[in-house]
Amino acid sequence: SGKSTLGRYLLNRLLSRHKEVWVLDADVGQAEFTPGGLVSVTSVTRPLLGPPHTHTAGTQGLGVELVQSVLMGDVTPETDPHRYNKCVSHICDFMLREAAVRKVPVLVNSSGWVKGLGLELLTHLLAKSAAT
């Protein structure tokens, strides 16, 4: 509980120090910027002041732009964990390469599922995203 609020707070704090922040959104069930079922990277250049439906990627003038996305095709990774990990690997490879070139900080949004299979998926995400 409070994961999304904390994520928005951290993002807004990063924006006070950087003109752009990328968000790697691996929460296919409750994505911050896109419809469910996607693993995505979104560029944010303006503070987020409301719930997810107020800052959908692609809405002009909000400072939120979809950079890259991969279709998982479901709102839970439990149905096909192998596909979910492939999506995470693909988006992380892209993100690490491009974020390094653009010198932009990246905030990672994961699901709140941290037991059993959820922990395995989270461990994969952390390893692939090189989160620190």
Side-chain angles (χ1 to χ4, degrees), residues 39-67:
V39 178
S40 64
V41 174
T42 302
S43 168
V44 182
T45 57
R46 296 173 73 182
L48 302 182
L49 303 176
H53 71 273
T54 64
H55 47 257
T56 303
T59 305
Q60 288 196 316
L62 296 181
V64 176
E65 179 184 332
L66 184 64
V67 177

Side-chain angles (χ1 to χ4, degrees), residues 22-28 31-35 37-43 57 65-72 84 87-88 91-92 94-95 106-109 125:
W22 280 9
V23 178
L24 166 59
D25 198 344
D27 188 349
V28 295
E32 186 71 27
F33 302 102
T34 62
L38 296 175
V39 178
S40 64
V41 174
T42 302
S43 168
E65 179 184 332
L66 184 64
V67 177
Q68 180 83 5
S69 66
V70 178
L71 178 65
M72 162 59 194
Y84 176 79
C87 292
V88 164
I91 209 79
C92 285
F94 168 84
M95 181 267 306
V106 178
L107 187 66
V108 177
N109 180 38
L125 170 63

